[in-house]
Amino acid sequence: MTEQTRVNIVEIGPRDGFQNVRDFIPTALKIEIIEGIISAGVQRMQLTSFVSPAAIAQMRDAEIISRHCIPRYPDRQFSALVPNFHGARLAQACGYREITPVISLSETHNLKNVNKTHRQSLDEIARIRQSFPEVHIVQDIATVFGCPYEGRMATPPLLALITALTAEGIDEFTLCDTIGVAYPEQVLSTLNAVRSAFPAVKLNIHIHDTRNMGIINSYLAAAWPVDAIQTSLGGLGGCPFAPGASGNTATEDLVYLLHAQGMATGIDFSRLLATAKHLHQHVGGSYSGHHLHISARQKDFNP
Ligand code: COA
Ligand code: ZN
């Protein structure tokens, strides 16, 4: 690995992290955390999601957060998760140049998550793409490695789903381990299978740490290399429609590892960790990050 190896981190804590917190987090505190992450040098971030308040009430301030951040930080690449056309239209009106529709490889999870069959979601994504051609789509595919309802997932249906999505003009995908069941060989063989079937698409990865596989899977994907890795500050996260879901790979843990291995992220580790600790102190939830729990009696290490 050379000094020059650059890894693109996409911070998703303000979306995947906050969505699984039961009590409403004051909007001002969300913005404070987002701005802490920005000041640590993070370039790409999912700020929120435009979802039904009946589905996830925590995200009901999506518009306020977006209208605060998008004009203030024009040099950053922000995106928002959208479960349907309605959400995409709201995101586009707020000024997003990138959005993330979500479809699950498991049709059962897709029905629980967005109340749509695969066919209905594909039609919705096609409509979004045709209606907002100026907005770049980074397509999330959930439950790629396993589903709480259908179990372990296979690669051929994933390739079929990506075939259908590329036919709609989608050229960037994030493979999501929604319930944290992926293991290294599965991550690498899945990435290789998608890359050889679709050499031109951009591929990102999104890993939950439920079974202590977050850091190894995320690191191997970085070294593979994927185009971007999604991580969550503090390791806060989880899909409310996947029973027992828990947090993502923690951004600060991955940044520590990448820097130690001579890879560059453009992120100031100390500032990022300070923001993670601030989040942990003020927002209750399940955090998978290790740096949060290091005793104050230890010296600070910053690779
Ligand atoms: N944003 C805000 N409100 C929305 C909306 C959106 N994106 N989509 C629908 N709504 C509103 C509708 O206006 C309607 O409101 P009304 O009852 O006042 O008329 C209501 O929600 C129901 O609309 P409908 O189209 O029937 O949606 P649904 O009940 O089938 O729910 C989703 C579908 C996709 C909106 C809902 O399942 C959802 O928001 N899921 C979120 C999934 C998610 O974020 N998971 C975690 C990340 S993977
Ligand atoms: Zn997730």
Side-chain angles (χ1 to χ4, degrees), residues 88-102:
R89 196 180 45 202
L90 294 173
Q92 188 258 0
C94 286
Y96 282 93
R97 288 170 306 210
E98 178 183 309
I99 55 171
T100 284
V102 57

Side-chain angles (χ1 to χ4, degrees), residues 109-127:
H109 184 260
N110 205 57
L111 283 161
K112 305 262 185 201
N113 196 40
V114 294
N115 197 23
K116 286 181 178 53
T117 62
H118 274 165
R119 186 66 262 157
Q120 288 169 326
S121 276
L122 287 167
D123 289 347
E124 195 92 348
I125 292 161
R127 191 171 158 222

Side-chain angles (χ1 to χ4, degrees), residues 12 15-16 19 176-178 206 208 238-239 248:
I12 53 161
R15 196 277 300 169
D16 205 328
Q19 77 182 8
C176 302
D177 181 19
T178 308
H206 168 127
H208 284 261
C239 174
N248 303 66

Side-chain angles (χ1 to χ4, degrees), residues 192-249:
N192 285 330
V194 177
R195 171 62 76 239
S196 56
F198 307 95
V201 305
K202 283 193 170 179
L203 275 180
N204 310 325
I205 201 103
H206 168 127
I207 300 283
H208 284 261
D209 192 39
T210 317
R211 289 166 179 77
N212 198 25
M213 295 279 155
I215 197 82
I216 190 163
N217 286 337
S218 303
Y219 177 72
L220 289 173
W224 182 69
V226 290
D227 292 285
I229 315 240
Q230 296 190 344
T231 54
S232 173
L233 194 70
L236 184 66
C239 174
F241 304 98
S246 65
N248 303 66
T249 305

Side-chain angles (χ1 to χ4, degrees), residues 245-293:
S246 65
N248 303 66
T249 305
T251 311
E252 64 279 9
D253 289 356
L254 186 66
V255 167
Y256 182 93
L257 173 58
L258 295 171
H259 290 183
Q261 293 295 95
M263 297 171 168
T265 64
I267 295 171
D268 180 325
F269 171 75
S270 299
R271 280 190 178 203
L272 188 74
L273 181 57
T275 305
K277 286 181 175 168
H278 185 65
L279 171 67
H280 186 231
Q281 203 180 344
H282 289 94
V283 174
S286 146
Y287 290 82
S288 68
H290 281 250
H291 279 84
L292 290 176
H293 306 295

